Amino acid sequence: MLNPFFMKKVAVIIINYNSTDFTISCINSILEKTPESFEYGIVVVDNNSQIAAYEHLQEALKDNNKVGIYRSKINLGFSGGNMFGLQHAQAGYYFFLNNDCELLNDNLSMLYDFMQQHPEAAIACGQMFNTDLSPHHSFNYLPELSLKLFGSGIVRLFNKESYPKKKATYTQPLKVPLLTGAALFVDYKKLSEVSGLDTNYFLYCEEEDLARKLKDKGYSCYLVPEAKFVHHMGQSTSRSYDIEKEYYISLLYYHRKHNNYLAYLLFKGLYFFKNFRKLYKGSLYLKLSLFILRGAPMKYSLKHRQQIAPR
């Protein structure tokens, strides 16, 4: 196990939830691509997986002194799991990495060096690729009202810097509005200034919330295309009505938190009509529409339905 008080340059935080094989592949890619001389540690948070999956993880990683495994007796979700992992290693930077990612090169050293050279940067991320190695955008836009009403093409005409093209190929570091939650390389000091990840979010909108909080502090997010990684998207979370509800619970919580009440009502109306016009596709969209109209209350979050492990 990692010594939780041993200072590292970088601590990688990986959440495992019933997807142990992905976690092992992710860790192996880190070990393979990161020089032995680089000071880092890996913290794996088992988010109350089935006991067989957890024991498989323990057995696979038991002889690796760079990896510590810490089991939560309840599923804490994305934000809660990462904040739980953060407590088990001290580092200047934390790399919140999805377990369905694999590094293609030395992301840790590259992102660490970039952050050291750019003190205004709070978060960095490498260039993401799909499983077939086709490029996929690593950044997105904050959910602003103008973007929802007019689309990125129109708002880019008036604010090009805040809306860089997602599908373009970049070879130099680029300041972006927010980065994918799959691979967030974060400056701990700046993260602590905004109280870390908001654990009210269970599965979605954590990266939007974090980027917004850091932006309000005057910090920036950067794409660093030199660092490259694969994200086997959708492998760690299956889709269902509950998952679709969770998305809107998080999204409307974000708008209540960061916008005035009128803007919140406008966003709620937009999301309602977005789903209501799809009624012909099935009853799912009627249920979602009515749920959004109620404000997607936080009390229905999957976070509040998790059970404590019996052992």
Side-chain angles (χ1 to χ4, degrees):
M1 301 289 282
L2 283 174
N3 180 344
F5 303 107
F6 188 77
M7 189 70 178
K8 305 282 185 181
K9 287 182 177 178
V10 177
V12 185
I13 312 294
I14 300 172
I15 296 176
N16 181 70
Y17 180 67
N18 294 324
S19 49
T20 297
D21 289 338
F22 278 103
T23 301
I24 293 169
S25 295
C26 177
I27 291 171
N28 286 338
S29 76
I30 299 169
L31 298 172
E32 178 186 340
K33 301 300 182 182
T34 310
E36 186 67 30
S37 59
F38 188 81
E39 295 178 5
Y40 75 100
I42 302 171
V43 172
V44 179
V45 175
D46 184 80
N47 233 350
N48 195 22
S49 298
Q50 295 175 3
I51 196 65
Y54 172 59
E55 289 175 347
H56 175 35
L57 184 69
Q58 284 187 308
E59 180 63 26
L61 301 173
K62 65 181 181 180
D63 296 324
N64 197 307
N65 61 10
K66 283 193 176 293
V67 182
I69 305 172
Y70 301 88
R71 179 168 168 82
S72 172
K73 293 187 183 230
I74 191 167
N75 185 345
L76 298 167
F78 180 87
S79 289
N82 278 307
M83 293 303 288
F84 176 75
L86 180 147
Q87 298 177 60
H88 293 285
Q90 291 193 9
Y93 298 91
Y94 287 83
F95 192 18
F96 300 119
L97 184 64
N98 274 24
N99 74 327
D100 55 358
C101 292
E102 294 182 55
L103 304 189
L104 294 175
N105 57 12
D106 183 12
N107 281 227
L108 271 62
S109 298
M110 293 172 180
L111 296 174
Y112 175 83
D113 289 344
F114 175 84
M115 296 289 275
Q116 288 281 289
Q117 295 163 17
H118 294 80
E120 81 284 4
I123 314 177
C125 176
Q127 173 60 55
M128 182 161 62
F129 292 85
N130 297 309
T131 302
D132 63 3
L133 297 184
S134 59
H136 192 281
H137 59 269
S138 300
F139 65 90
N140 214 322
Y141 313 125
L142 289 168
E144 304 288 355
L145 196 56
S146 58
L147 179 67
K148 298 296 182 182
L149 289 172
F150 304 112
S152 60
I154 298 297
V155 295
R156 187 179 297 116
L157 295 174
F158 301 95
N159 192 352
K160 185 176 180 180
E161 183 178 338
S162 295
Y163 296 94
K165 293 182 179 181
K166 293 192 290 185
K167 294 185 178 180
T169 300
Y170 297 98
T171 58
Q172 298 298 319
L174 176 72
K175 184 177 176 181
V176 297
L178 71 97
L179 293 157
T180 174
L184 296 174
F185 193 96
V186 186
D187 183 320
Y188 174 71
K189 182 178 178 182
K190 297 178 178 65
L191 181 69
S192 66
E193 290 181 32
V194 296
S195 302
L197 296 169
D198 183 341
T199 56
N200 285 306
Y201 297 101
F202 189 71
L203 284 178
Y204 297 105
C205 297
E206 304 90 348
E207 60 266 45
E208 286 88 346
D209 184 82
L210 181 59
R212 177 64 180 267
K213 291 190 297 184
L214 290 166
K215 178 184 177 183
D216 290 345
K217 286 282 188 179
Y219 298 127
S220 302
C221 304
Y222 279 89
L223 167 68
V224 183
E226 177 189 21
K228 297 176 172 60
F229 68 98
V230 170
H231 183 202
H232 304 293
M233 280 178 272
Q235 298 301 316
S236 57
T237 304
S238 58
R239 309 301 297 182
S240 66
Y241 174 57
D242 282 338
I243 295 297
E244 297 297 333
K245 279 201 314 181
E246 195 67 36
Y247 173 69
Y248 286 106
I249 288 170
S250 296
L251 193 54
L252 288 179
Y253 170 68
Y254 172 91
H255 291 307
R256 288 193 296 270
K257 180 176 177 179
H258 293 292
N259 295 293
N260 61 45
Y261 188 64
L262 177 59
Y264 161 71
L265 290 177
L266 289 171
F267 277 113
K268 186 169 76 168
L270 286 172
Y271 300 139
F272 168 78
F273 285 112
K274 175 184 175 181
N275 285 276
F276 191 76
R277 69 184 183 183
K278 297 179 182 178
L279 291 185
Y280 66 93
K281 292 185 176 182
S283 61
L284 167 69
Y285 293 99
L286 175 60
K287 291 193 290 184
L288 281 175
S289 299
L290 296 175
F291 185 65
I292 291 166
L293 202 59
R294 295 171 60 193
M298 181 66 75
K299 69 179 181 179
Y300 293 108
S301 172
L302 292 170
K303 174 180 178 178
H304 304 302
R305 290 162 52 184
Q306 303 308 307
Q307 297 182 339
I308 297 175
R311 52 175 286 198

